Amino acid sequence: MQRHNIPCARSAIFSSYDEARGYLEKQKPPIVVKADGLAAGKGVTVADTIGQALDALANIMQAKASGAAGDRVLIEERLEGREMSAFAFADAHTSVPMVPACDYKPVFDGDQGPKTGGMASYSPPHFFSPALAKTVTETIMEPTVKALHDEGRPYKGVLYSGLMIADDGPKVMEFNARFGDPETQVILPRLKTDLVDILLSVANNDLHQMDIEWSSDACVGVVMASAGYPGSYKKGFPITGLDKVDEDILVFHAGTKLGSDGEVVTSGGRVLTVVAIGTTIAEAREKVYNNISRIHFEGCHYRQDIALVDENH
Ligand SMILES: Nc1ncnc2c1ncn2[C@@H]1O[C@H](COP(=O)(O)OP(=O)(O)O)[C@@H](O)[C@H]1O
Ligand SMILES: [Mg+2]
């Protein structure tokens, strides 16, 4: 991103613990420390003090808490703003924006408690204006696809950018080379064009010929989780009320299976995502909560504050 002037946090990268430590001791908090590799979602520490950042650094590079992902670290400025995810389909030359989404990682309302794989999402973010859409496409998505092509590694597929919308514009915190869960559940219901046609055009490098249409509806998705998740939890509880939801509600099964009598039982931490579509975010939000309360299993919990406007969302 630095080589191609794609907006992101100011950062420095280190392979030596002593050099990273020396650099960190000269920084002002808040600061972010990242293991430069796959760390099962546990590689990033947003530190309020240099002491916390030094602890995170030692944990990554000395204790090797995330194994080889800790061979290199990234130390970067903390960005302030609202977080959102932008998506694009990309073939080797072209990118076509999808509709964006916001997701919610912490397990409890008000972003309290430990991080999860994702407790909810909604699309579009209420602060996503046409001007912001244009900036994200022109300063982030298109330059990234071009940069990958120009550096000899053309990228084809779904480009997912985790963004912080700062006062001076959107900045990239990460890229993923896939859809997100549960963002997909609120994005694809808004897609009017056949997904298979789009994927074929990606494979054949003729995405530029595709006319991809999205509905202007809003979509809110809320995950129902097992008691104890994201810590340890029990499985095998019967799920009732799946047949009680309104016809236009989507219920995506994740941690479920059929029990011995053919009944649906829980089989994971994140059990279901319940998704509602509405003409406004408020309408979709009301529908999702109206319907989710009809589904039940022992110990089930879900966030109640999804798609409300607050200082972080
Ligand atoms: N530079 C940054 N400034 C502020 N918050 C950050 C920064 N980088 C990451 N974060 C926070 O940490 C979270 C996880 O970081 P991310 O880069 O998305 O890693 P992961 O691979 O774990 O998803 C982000 O969703 C964001 O809330
Ligand atoms: Mg992330």
Side-chain angles (χ1 to χ4, degrees):
M1 287 189 276
Q2 284 167 351
R3 276 199 299 283
H4 294 275
N5 290 317
I6 293 162
C8 57
R10 274 191 308 277
S11 68
I13 194 158
F14 298 94
S15 308
S16 139
Y17 171 75
D18 290 332
E19 281 173 30
R21 189 188 168 101
Y23 174 85
L24 200 46
E25 281 168 342
K26 286 189 234 114
Q27 304 306 304
K28 283 202 201 83
I31 196 133
V32 179
V33 180
K34 296 185 171 188
D36 183 30
L38 289 175
K42 298 193 171 72
V44 175
T45 299
V46 180
D48 291 321
T49 65
I50 295 300
Q52 278 170 10
L54 287 168
D55 287 347
L57 181 68
N59 201 28
I60 294 170
M61 292 195 97
Q62 290 196 305
K64 294 275 176 181
S66 297
D71 289 350
R72 291 206 306 182
V73 293
L74 206 62
I75 298 175
E76 63 181 44
E77 75 175 308
R78 182 170 92 185
L79 301 169
E80 305 288 348
R82 287 196 155 104
E83 231 184 299
M84 57 162 279
S85 305
F87 301 82
F89 293 110
D91 70 8
H93 308 283
T94 313
S95 73
V96 177
M98 296 188 220
V99 292
C102 282
D103 74 327
Y104 295 73
K105 296 277 189 237
V107 66
F108 299 129
D109 285 12
D111 284 344
Q112 301 298 306
K115 281 195 179 170
T116 67
M119 292 298 288
S121 59
Y122 76 99
S123 172
H126 63 89
F127 51 86
F128 195 73
S129 64
L132 179 55
K134 188 168 184 295
T135 309
V136 169
T137 298
E138 290 176 359
T139 68
I140 293 169
M141 298 313 231
E142 285 176 351
T144 300
V145 171
K146 183 173 185 312
L148 288 166
H149 175 267
D150 292 352
E151 293 202 355
R153 36 194 153 118
Y155 177 73
K156 290 163 65 141
V158 172
L159 188 61
Y160 165 152
S161 179
L163 304 176
M164 191 69 90
I165 312 304
D167 286 342
D168 57 345
K171 295 185 182 175
V172 181
M173 290 186 290
E174 68 166 345
F175 280 110
N176 290 310
R178 54 165 169 79
F179 277 114
D181 175 6
E183 294 96 316
T184 320
Q185 291 94 311
V186 297
I187 288 174
L188 290 188
R190 300 187 55 203
L191 179 61
K192 289 186 174 169
T193 310
D194 191 326
L195 181 63
V196 174
D197 290 342
I198 301 171
L199 300 182
L200 279 173
S201 78
V202 166
N204 296 328
N205 284 333
D206 32 71
L207 196 52
H208 62 284
Q209 293 179 353
M210 284 297 294
D211 186 17
I212 300 180
E213 276 190 85
W214 298 91
S215 83
S216 58
D217 288 335
C219 221
V220 177
V222 178
V223 170
M224 300 185 81
S226 294
Y229 175 80
S232 62
Y233 52 83
K234 291 190 186 136
K235 302 180 190 178
F237 298 113
I239 304 171
T240 58
L242 289 168
D243 54 349
K244 299 278 185 297
V245 300
D246 294 335
E247 224 165 67
D248 60 345
I249 297 295
L250 298 163
V251 181
F252 293 96
H253 289 233
T256 68
K257 67 175 189 187
L258 290 179
S260 48
D261 296 327
E263 78 284 20
V264 182
V265 302
T266 64
S267 178
R270 290 190 295 164
V271 176
L272 304 162
T273 309
V274 181
V275 173
I277 302 160
T279 49
T280 62
I281 295 169
E283 187 189 313
R285 179 185 141 75
E286 198 184 310
K287 274 168 85 174
V288 85
Y289 282 114
N290 188 353
N291 278 274
I292 204 170
S293 59
R294 302 177 202 172
I295 303 174
H296 186 74
F297 51 88
E298 192 177 316
C300 77
H301 64 99
Y302 52 87
R303 282 185 60 161
Q304 314 265 355
D305 63 341
I306 301 314
L308 289 177
V309 178
D310 63 35
E311 59 186 14
N312 295 318
H313 300 106

